Amino acid sequence: MTEWLNKCHFGDCLETLRQMPDGLVQTCVTSPPYFGLRDYGHAGQIGLEPTPDQFIAKLVEVFREVKRVLTDDGTLWLNIGDSHASFRDGKATPDSARGDSDGTLVPKGSAKNRMASTFTGTGIKHKDLIGIPWMLAFALRADGWYLRQDI
């Protein structure tokens, strides 16, 4: 068990967590990737799931492992931001055409361009906040976590 203490561990978070013994950690402080905002260039990365529901399901899977490695009185401090719904046509779109100022192009397939049809039929409008923090908080509560505070 001491091989896990006072060290940084690098790798896929689920794989690393699954190797850790139960009840090892007193506190977890984390800020996972936000939905659809960045492409870090790694296959299977968190944040580029096709839908918000799939993103939330992946995070619940991760935090189920976090809960397992926490002590009985352990705490989780989670910083998660929201994302705005973005309807793109799948083509390179000048930022200036979207109301941004620098005029740079957003390449087809980039994180900013990948949400073109994600929200069809959901009632979520272009530029709406998706509600990711609330979705995650309620999903974690349904998975057995206690929701104690939001900031």
Side-chain angles (χ1 to χ4, degrees):
M1 181 152 55
T2 58
E3 69 270 11
W4 290 99
L5 300 176
N6 301 313
K7 295 180 183 175
C8 290
H9 301 276
F10 298 94
D12 178 276
C13 62
L14 269 174
E15 291 175 18
T16 303
L17 282 164
R18 286 179 177 146
Q19 295 173 27
M20 297 174 79
D22 296 357
L24 176 70
V25 178
Q26 181 66 43
T27 301
C28 175
V29 179
T30 188
S31 180
Y34 295 176
F35 176 70
L37 293 184
R38 290 202 175 47
D39 184 352
Y40 295 100
H42 295 281
Q45 66 188 330
I46 294 173
L48 293 185
E49 291 77 9
T51 68
D53 288 336
Q54 289 171 316
F55 172 67
I56 296 301
K58 186 62 167 186
L59 289 179
V60 168
E61 182 182 5
V62 169
F63 289 115
R64 193 171 289 143
E65 287 299 312
V66 169
K67 187 175 182 183
R68 182 188 60 75
V69 302
L70 281 173
T71 59
D72 289 340
D73 62 346
T75 59
L76 168 65
W77 298 80
L78 173 60
N79 179 41
I80 185 80
D82 215 338
S83 302
H84 287 86
S86 178
F87 299 95
R88 304 280 184 253
D89 57 9
K91 301 175 192 163
T93 306
D95 285 349
S96 58
R98 298 193 321 257
D100 298 335
S101 60
D102 68 359
T104 57
L105 290 178
V106 177
K108 183 177 180 177
S110 75
K112 287 185 179 179
N113 228 352
R114 64 178 301 283
M115 294 163 57
S117 61
T118 301
F119 304 103
T120 302
T122 65
I124 296 174
K125 300 173 296 305
H126 178 58
K127 296 189 178 183
D128 265 352
L129 279 176
I130 299 167
I132 296 291
W134 302 299
M135 291 173 68
L136 181 57
F138 296 147
L140 290 174
R141 186 170 61 186
D143 200 53
W145 287 89
Y146 288 90
L147 179 58
R148 295 288 189 210
Q149 180 66 307
D150 75 314
I151 300 171

